[in-house]
Amino acid sequence: MIGLRLRQLVFASIVALIAYVFAANVMLPASMGMALDSYSLTIIGKYLCFAMLAVALDLVWGYCGILSLGHAAFFSLGGYAMGMYLMRQIGERGTYGHPVLPDFMVFLNWEQLPWFWYGFDAFWFAGLMIFFAPGMLAFVFGWFAFRSRVSGVYLSIITQALTYALMLAFFRNEMGFGGNNGLTDFKDLLGYPLASNGVRVWLMLASGLALLLSLFLCQKLLATKFGRVLVAVRDSESRTRFLGYRVEHFKLFAFVMSAMIAGLAGALYVPQVGIINPGEFSPLASIEVVVWVALGGRGSLYGAALGAIVVNAAKTFFTGSYPEAWLFFLGAMFVISTLYLPRGILGALEDLAQQVKGNAPKLSTEELS
Amino acid sequence: MVRVVSFIFSLFFVCEVVYGQTFDQGKALADSSLKEKMVWVEKLASDDSEETTRILQHWLDGILVYWPQENRLVRGIKEGRRYQLQDLMTEEALGTAASRDIDRVKTNNSLRSALKQVLGSRQLASSDRDVRLAAIAELKRRPDYKVLLLLKKREAAEQDDQIARQLSELIGLVLLESTEANEQLEGLQRISGELSPEVKDSLSRFLLNPNLDPQVVEVAQRELEGITRSLMYWGIGQDLFFGLSLGSVLLLAAIGLAITFGVMGVINMAHGEFIMLGAYTTFVIQQWIPATSMWSLLISIPAAFVVSGTAGIVLERLVIRHLYGRPLETLLATFGVSLILQQLVRTVFGPLNQSVVTPDLLSGALDINAAFSVTYNRLFVIAFALCVLVTLWAVMQRTPFGMRVRAVTMNRGMASSMGVQTKRLDALAFGLGSGIAGMGGVALSQLTNVGPNLGQSYIVDSFMVVVFGGVGNLFGTVFAALSLGVANKILEPFSGAVLAKILILVFIILFIQKRPRGLFALKGRAAED
């Protein structure tokens, strides 16, 4: 019961945050001084996107036992799809003033748009690609990997290799994604200028709603029989297989769905921070996502979201005030969360609450591994 | 000698010059037209006295002036509106003169390049071997027919075999500039078998000449084809050598990983940082022992083994032991440790790369020919990896410790039942694997800069090696490391370094679908989870 209440608390605070911003920045007049400034809006929006990414990873890691060390790749692909749309929206306002080609292509003396940039001037197409690009990659990769029963640390290592290969590829100018500098200097989204406060409010609200939606969707999915089978795969893959389930299909579905959620998170993230570059593909970025989930509470969607927000708030604080200490802190969190908080902050709080009530804590940690 | 040579040369030219102890034709030189000056350069080229060299050098530098008052050439350095005059040889001050009282010897671009050629060929007479080699290299870049006679004279006088060969190649290049077929043929004969890029360029340029004798064209074409073919073969050899040295580095990085992964099923993400610790140990030891001596490197090897090995044992005792049987959690915890180690090194040594000096004995290269050279530091890395491999093999196959490690790798429970102290063995095996990584760091410090991110750039590659080669098999690791290293370097010329790496990664991702437990997977019950 306590656990349920904690989850409700996380859910309620996200709803309250959205409601507050909606009320203060949209409904009430600015003269009341309740509105958040654009810096806070961007930071909150960013955290909400990261929380979505954490939920996506928790779906496959916490409930299906697939530790992906390359989830930032799906996030970045979604981000790049959105970035390409935003680049096409710049039009003639670029430094070189070319009506079609983005600046970096003019700079590289390209004559025409590469084929994979076609269609990105339409928002509906970009919106489709936000789900399609990460989903397709996850499908192809997962289809190969799960069919040949690559699992455990082997799978983790090749997901890391996947994002590493993508990072190297996107760093190349010839790839046509802006190389080292990535995509930036965005002007507007659907005709509204990105720099304006109003657009930032709506982007933040959209991120919050998307987070709630993905939490809701995942929860509904996990409550079905399908979700039960996923957990069974996590706890004992061979037994589930012997019971007659096509384990690889279940894993593949969860993996693709998770990749699409991650892609959506990336797409909402890019217009808020104003840049996407190949650094987002780095293995370190992916593995940071894992620590958000581990610290927040693996196997609990709300815990993952909470972990993402807590760790990123800490990151903002440390990189601002004590830049040297950040990696020490991050490293220590990896060690502490695996050694002492196997079920994360949320799990620890639940156990604590149980102990206060006099009940023995649930021994679910052993099952997780 | 000077007189004889100059006498022979004077026969060729319109203007007869008699060289004395001092050059007394200053007025004629200064008064001549730019066209006549070119003839003067050629005349002076054949005389190799110290004075002529100075005249040519000053002429090139634009400070050679004729002083009518004393009827001789002097150094004239412009100061304000007047010239500071100095003796040509002693540089002793001779007073000043207004610009109308002296006559500066003028130059233009074609004169300047001719002067450079002549002065370059003069350095061929230097007693310093390196100066001569440098002069040959410089002259090869723009072969000039004018210096032919002088080169032939030098060739006759040259004692050093290697330089004589280079000189012959240079003369061959110069002869290609000739217009006479027999000289061209002699030139082709001289450059036959040489593989330097200058020879190839000159030959390609030579064949563009429309006025060639058909026989000469045939010889030249055959020569060019031969050179292109040999260059290709030697190029492949060079790629193989680089590939082997890269593979050796990968081997040193991956072999420790394979041990820890094989014995304990533990993925140690901090393994790259143990390599980095080894490299930094080399750096620290170089602060105490002169870096140029081989001793400093030799002491670094055991030191790095101890430093990284100890760090490994501490990590095992403090963290990994508590996560036994939970490989994914171990992966995360060791990743955290790797971040802490990186930041620690960054705090202590600073974020910038430190350059580790290569000992004198290992710097330089053995040049087989222009297309193939064996750098000693890479050779050292290959030899070192081989030594480590042989030692490790002996330890694993011939000692009780090795036998226990193999037993635990195959079946932990059974080994434990037979009395192997698996906990203690885990710590020791982890220390061994980490120590080897540290020694890999020493080798790596000879090839690249040492920085806090050194380990990270090798960790993904090391994992690929382990995944490709399979766990628990030393030779699987060796095979995987060397083949990945060579494949990387062979692909590089066609696709560029980054694309080569991507191709390799994609290949491994596809490969692991087919053989999820690696190329040389353990067979039998050991392989079952």
Side-chain angles (χ1 to χ4, degrees):
Chain A
M1 279 315 283
I2 302 279
L4 197 63
R5 247 181 254 163
L6 275 169
R7 272 148 224 224
Q8 281 168 342
L9 197 68
V10 175
F11 192 84
S13 30
I14 298 171
V15 173
L17 182 72
I18 293 175
Y20 175 81
V21 173
F22 184 72
N25 284 48
V26 182
M27 301 302 284
L28 297 174
S31 54
M32 287 192 65
M34 304 256 292
L36 291 175
D37 58 309
S38 55
Y39 174 74
S40 321
L41 280 173
T42 306
I43 289 231
I44 295 172
K46 236 171 78 175
Y47 291 172
L48 292 173
C49 292
F50 287 149
M52 256 173 94
L53 178 56
V55 169
L57 181 68
D58 198 28
L59 178 67
V60 286
W61 185 35
Y63 292 94
C64 196
I66 307 167
L67 174 53
S68 162
L69 295 183
H71 242 57
F74 304 123
F75 181 80
S76 313
L77 280 179
Y80 264 97
M82 180 55 112
M84 283 158 84
Y85 164 74
L86 294 171
M87 281 312 260
R88 293 292 304 269
Q89 292 304 106
I90 295 174
E92 288 179 7
R93 286 166 293 173
T95 317
Y96 296 105
H98 195 286
V100 179
L101 292 188
D103 275 350
F104 73 88
M105 291 190 195
V106 183
F107 186 73
L108 290 172
N109 289 324
W110 287 14
E111 298 292 320
Q112 55 184 13
L113 213 58
W115 60 268
F116 46 83
W117 276 75
Y118 288 129
F120 275 95
D121 46 340
F123 185 73
W124 65 267
F125 183 78
L128 207 66
M129 291 312 281
I130 285 167
F131 296 104
F132 184 75
M136 200 61 207
L137 177 68
F139 181 80
V140 172
F141 182 81
W143 193 71
F144 278 119
F146 301 140
R147 203 181 49 125
S148 46
R149 300 186 190 175
V150 180
S151 60
V153 283
Y154 278 99
L155 185 80
S156 306
I157 295 301
I158 60 168
T159 51
Q160 191 184 29
L162 174 78
T163 190
Y164 187 62
L166 279 171
M167 177 180 79
L168 293 178
F170 273 72
F171 265 123
R172 286 162 50 89
N173 278 329
E174 297 84 348
M175 276 288 285
F177 293 106
N180 206 355
N181 298 322
L183 308 175
T184 187
D185 284 334
F186 307 132
K187 302 280 190 248
D188 49 29
L189 175 69
L190 292 170
Y192 300 102
L194 274 176
S196 77
N197 208 25
V199 173
R200 286 179 185 276
V201 172
W202 283 109
L203 276 171
M204 191 235 114
L205 290 176
S207 311
L209 286 175
L211 173 61
L212 289 180
L213 190 71
S214 45
L215 279 169
F216 179 76
L217 258 179
C218 292
Q219 209 173 24
K220 279 287 164 235
L221 179 78
L222 291 168
T224 60
K225 187 187 165 203
F226 182 89
R228 299 279 167 197
V229 178
L230 276 190
V231 175
V233 170
R234 175 193 77 188
D235 291 339
S236 179
E237 189 171 332
S238 351
R239 276 187 210 178
T240 318
R241 185 176 288 122
F242 296 150
L243 286 173
Y245 292 102
R246 294 293 296 272
V247 169
E248 55 273 24
H249 293 179
F250 286 87
K251 281 173 135 181
L252 191 58
F253 184 87
F255 198 57
V256 171
M257 181 170 163
S258 165
M260 285 179 169
I261 296 173
L264 177 62
L268 286 165
Y269 171 80
V270 166
Q272 301 192 60
V273 295
I275 185 169
I276 175 84
N277 63 28
E280 302 283 340
F281 281 105
S282 80
L284 182 64
S286 290
I287 213 158
E288 259 186 49
V289 184
V290 176
V291 89
W292 304 341
V293 178
L295 195 77
R298 179 189 164 201
S300 146
L301 295 172
Y302 294 98
L306 183 70
I309 293 171
V310 168
V311 176
N312 278 295
K315 184 174 186 175
T316 309
F317 168 73
F318 274 108
T319 46
S321 311
Y322 308 98
E324 295 86 21
W326 164 241
L327 279 183
F328 283 128
F329 179 76
L330 185 66
M333 274 200 299
F334 272 104
V335 179
I336 291 166
S337 63
T338 47
L339 282 183
Y340 303 111
L341 296 171
R343 291 176 56 226
I345 301 173
L346 210 64
L349 286 176
E350 282 173 14
D351 291 347
L352 199 70
Q354 294 276 3
Q355 271 173 343
V356 170
K357 284 185 78 184
N359 300 338
K362 282 187 293 177
L363 282 174
S364 56
T365 52
E366 297 309 310
E367 297 157 23
L368 288 180
S369 54
Chain B
M1 178 69 183
V2 174
R3 278 158 209 271
V4 178
V5 174
S6 45
F7 174 71
I8 296 167
F9 267 82
S10 61
L11 296 177
F12 290 102
F13 298 108
V14 218
C15 174
E16 205 170 300
V17 189
V18 179
Y19 287 85
Q21 207 56 38
T22 51
F23 182 77
D24 53 5
Q25 308 273 328
K27 184 170 167 48
L29 174 63
D31 288 347
S32 59
S33 72
L34 285 170
K35 213 170 178 181
E36 287 163 347
K37 281 200 174 75
M38 193 55 101
V39 182
W40 272 101
V41 173
E42 282 164 36
K43 262 187 283 178
L44 290 168
S46 53
D47 176 79
D48 53 7
S49 71
E50 174 71 6
E51 188 189 13
T52 326
T53 311
R54 286 209 159 224
I55 290 175
L56 291 168
Q57 185 65 53
H58 289 351
W59 191 359
L60 179 64
D61 296 342
I63 54 170
L64 183 70
V65 298
Y66 171 65
W67 196 16
Q69 196 182 330
E70 300 230 344
N71 187 27
R72 62 168 169 151
L73 289 170
V74 291
R75 275 161 66 96
I77 295 151
K78 197 166 185 181
E79 257 182 29
R81 310 197 59 173
R82 295 179 70 82
Y83 279 83
Q84 193 79 40
L85 300 182
Q86 291 168 349
D87 188 89
L88 209 52
M89 301 300 288
T90 61
E91 295 187 15
E92 152 199 357
L94 301 170
T96 60
S99 55
R100 64 172 180 281
D101 294 333
I102 56 164
D103 204 352
R104 199 166 68 88
V105 184
K106 296 179 183 62
T107 49
N108 63 7
N109 278 339
S110 57
L111 274 172
R112 246 177 242 123
S113 75
L115 283 167
K116 272 185 201 154
Q117 280 283 336
V118 173
L119 282 165
S121 59
R122 252 150 222 271
Q123 284 171 341
L124 293 177
S126 160
S127 54
D128 187 345
R129 196 170 169 276
D130 292 337
V131 172
R132 276 181 287 168
L133 276 174
I136 291 176
E138 180 61 37
L139 286 170
K140 262 203 244 175
R141 237 175 264 164
R142 244 177 295 135
D144 188 346
Y145 191 69
K146 280 199 278 297
V147 290
L148 177 64
L149 284 168
L150 204 128
L151 288 177
K152 285 201 164 172
K153 204 169 76 183
R154 293 277 175 250
E155 191 193 20
E158 184 61 60
Q159 302 287 324
D160 188 311
D161 282 345
Q162 197 200 343
I163 295 187
R165 191 176 156 192
Q166 294 256 359
L167 210 52
S168 172
E169 183 189 335
L170 172 59
I171 293 173
L173 291 178
V174 168
L175 282 171
L176 286 189
E177 304 289 311
S178 160
T179 46
E180 289 184 31
N182 58 341
E183 281 199 317
Q184 287 168 347
L185 280 174
E186 190 201 334
L188 287 172
Q189 200 188 344
R190 275 175 185 266
I191 59 173
S192 171
E194 299 291 346
L195 297 173
S196 66
E198 290 90 354
V199 168
K200 201 181 165 202
D201 289 351
S202 292
L203 261 181
S204 320
R205 215 172 39 233
F206 178 68
L207 280 167
L208 294 178
N209 184 350
N211 310 322
L212 288 180
D213 190 276
Q215 192 203 345
V216 175
V217 171
E218 194 193 323
V219 176
Q221 261 164 356
R222 204 170 53 227
E223 223 26 78
L224 185 61
E225 275 164 26
I227 288 174
T228 316
R229 202 167 41 237
S230 317
L231 273 180
M232 196 184 74
Y233 291 142
W234 285 109
I236 291 175
Q238 188 79 7
D239 286 342
L240 271 178
F241 176 66
F242 277 136
L244 278 181
S245 66
L246 177 67
S248 303
V249 170
L250 286 181
L251 176 64
L252 287 170
I255 215 163
L257 203 62
I259 293 176
T260 51
F261 191 29
V263 175
M264 301 150 79
V266 158
I267 283 279
N268 178 17
M269 294 295 273
H271 193 76
E273 275 56 46
F274 292 144
I275 300 177
M276 175 197 71
L277 282 184
Y280 270 99
T281 310
T282 319
F283 172 73
V284 169
I285 286 191
Q286 285 198 347
Q287 309 306 307
W288 294 333
I289 301 172
T292 45
S293 102
M294 194 64 193
W295 283 111
S296 131
L297 193 65
L298 289 179
I299 292 172
S300 305
I301 293 171
F305 183 84
V306 170
V307 168
S308 296
T310 313
I313 290 177
V314 169
L315 174 65
E316 203 277 337
R317 292 275 93 178
L318 290 184
V319 179
I320 293 174
R321 200 159 54 102
H322 304 291
L323 296 171
Y324 175 69
R326 289 152 65 189
L328 294 181
E329 273 83 351
T330 316
L331 192 154
L332 293 181
T334 49
F335 188 81
V337 172
S338 89
L339 291 183
I340 293 175
L341 283 176
Q342 267 178 44
Q343 189 57 40
L344 195 69
V345 163
R346 203 173 282 134
T347 312
V348 174
F349 294 97
L352 298 178
N353 281 347
Q354 308 283 357
S355 70
V356 170
V357 184
T358 307
D360 292 340
L361 214 59
L362 294 184
S363 48
L366 179 66
D367 293 310
I368 311 274
N369 60 35
F372 188 85
S373 67
V374 177
T375 46
Y376 292 128
N377 56 354
R378 285 181 185 272
L379 203 61
F380 165 77
V381 169
I382 294 176
F384 181 64
L386 201 67
C387 289
V388 170
L389 186 66
V390 170
T391 316
L392 187 67
W393 181 82
V395 167
M396 293 302 258
Q397 301 292 328
R398 296 279 179 269
T399 65
F401 168 73
M403 190 186 71
R404 292 193 187 115
V405 170
R406 281 182 295 137
V408 174
T409 310
M410 285 178 189
N411 195 322
R412 173 173 290 266
M414 188 60 79
S416 179
S417 313
M418 300 299 284
V420 177
Q421 292 188 321
T422 50
K423 294 273 173 207
R424 225 183 101 231
L425 195 85
D426 281 346
L428 287 177
F430 204 86
L432 177 69
S434 313
I436 292 174
M439 296 201 293
V442 178
L444 203 55
S445 73
Q446 297 303 308
L447 298 183
T448 62
N449 285 325
V450 176
N453 294 331
L454 178 77
Q456 257 196 337
S457 43
Y458 281 89
I459 191 74
V460 176
D461 286 338
S462 319
F463 277 129
M464 292 304 112
V465 169
V466 173
V467 163
F468 183 46
V471 177
N473 186 329
L474 211 56
F475 289 99
T477 314
V478 175
F479 178 82
L482 294 186
S483 51
L484 288 189
V486 170
N488 223 329
K489 288 291 169 189
I490 296 273
L491 283 176
E492 248 173 48
F494 303 106
S495 57
V498 175
L499 206 58
K501 206 158 195 166
I502 296 171
L503 286 176
I504 300 268
L505 286 175
V506 169
F507 164 74
I508 295 201
I509 291 176
L510 288 178
F511 170 83
I512 201 174
Q513 320 290 343
K514 204 83 202 135
R515 302 283 296 264
R517 295 277 174 254
L519 203 54
F520 298 89
L522 279 179
K523 297 209 169 59
R525 293 168 101 179
E528 288 159 20
D529 289 330

